[in-house]
Amino acid sequence: MPRSHIAAMDGNSHHHSAHGLTPWHGTTIIGVKRGGKTVVAGDGQVSMGNTVMKPNARKVRRLGEGGPEKGKVIAGFAGATADAFTLFDRLERKLEQYRGQLMRAAVELAKDWRTDKYLRNLEALMIVADKDVLLVITGNGDVLEPEGGITAIGSGGNYALSAARALVDYEDDPETIARKAMKVAADICVFTNDNVTLESVES
């Protein structure tokens, strides 16, 4: 099974908390890398059980705004919102520590995420990218580089991934692919809306 499929399905594997309740259904995030440009797009919906709590959350952002690596890394998360901000913060610190080397920072974050007692309980998945790499980071300590430059996570991840894969034969622009795939996911997945945030990096 292609590794990008594993990443998409991982997005569905965290939906139940230890109490059997569903504290969140976080979203759909897609990453598309083509022709020297990489985009990460996400929807804006935060749901609690079957209730939409917030329609315009920003789940995709630029990291390292303050440092010398200003905004060169983009990241999107699927999962519990508070957990994701903790992970964004950790990743920014790793990027500072490893001077903007995203692959190294991602591997170190994944290692901490798997072994750190506090981080281990976080329920989230991340797609991160810079001009060179597109990666999925999971709480199992995995850093996955998707085949074919397309990956998606979250409750609508499989829909977005399937749509994007079908689109690449007809469409070259990664932003168009990401937006169209997000629209398909929003039409099918009740936990995804069409309020899309998109960030891009170019090599």
Side-chain angles (χ1 to χ4, degrees):
M1 180 183 289
R3 286 179 298 172
S4 49
H5 257 333
I6 297 167
M9 293 195 312
D10 270 355
N12 296 322
S13 64
H14 293 285
H15 278 340
H16 296 281
S17 72
H19 311 294
L21 300 169
T22 309
W24 48 265
H25 262 285
T27 218
T28 302
I29 305 286
I30 188 167
V32 182
K33 179 181 169 73
R34 275 180 93 68
K37 184 178 180 182
T38 303
V39 302
V40 176
D43 76 310
Q45 185 164 311
V46 173
S47 313
M48 182 77 74
N50 291 324
T51 308
V52 176
M53 305 296 283
K54 191 176 177 185
N56 59 349
R58 275 204 63 193
K59 301 173 194 170
V60 176
R61 55 185 49 209
R62 288 185 179 276
L63 300 183
E65 295 286 20
E69 296 306 314
K70 203 170 174 191
K72 290 180 182 170
V73 172
I74 50 177
F77 72 87
T81 311
D83 294 356
F85 288 125
T86 301
L87 291 163
F88 277 160
D89 189 47
R90 287 285 180 118
L91 182 58
E92 284 199 309
R93 275 188 264 162
K94 296 286 184 197
L95 283 165
E96 278 169 31
Q97 194 179 340
Y98 298 108
R99 301 185 179 183
Q101 295 173 54
L102 179 58
M103 180 66 91
R104 180 80 194 275
V107 168
E108 293 299 323
L109 175 67
K111 211 184 288 178
D112 286 358
W113 196 349
R114 193 181 69 235
T115 56
D116 182 290
K117 212 158 52 186
Y118 169 69
L119 289 181
R120 224 177 16 219
N121 295 321
L122 299 188
E123 296 194 351
L125 280 158
M126 294 176 81
I127 292 178
V128 296
D130 64 7
K131 65 182 179 55
D132 300 314
V133 291
L134 173 66
L135 305 168
V136 177
I137 311 175
T138 80
N140 304 327
D142 298 318
V143 177
L144 308 167
E145 206 165 356
E147 286 168 24
I150 299 171
T151 190
I153 57 175
S155 50
N158 284 333
Y159 307 126
L161 182 64
S162 303
R165 287 210 170 152
L167 283 162
V168 291
D169 291 340
Y170 312 99
E171 187 59 67
D172 280 330
D173 178 48
E175 181 170 338
T176 305
I177 293 168
R179 286 191 186 280
K180 285 184 175 176
M182 286 297 296
K183 177 151 185 7
V184 170
D187 286 347
I188 302 171
C189 175
V190 293
F191 299 107
T192 302
N193 68 15
D194 56 6
N195 193 336
V196 172
T197 304
L198 185 142
E199 294 283 358
S200 65
V201 280
E202 294 188 46
S203 55

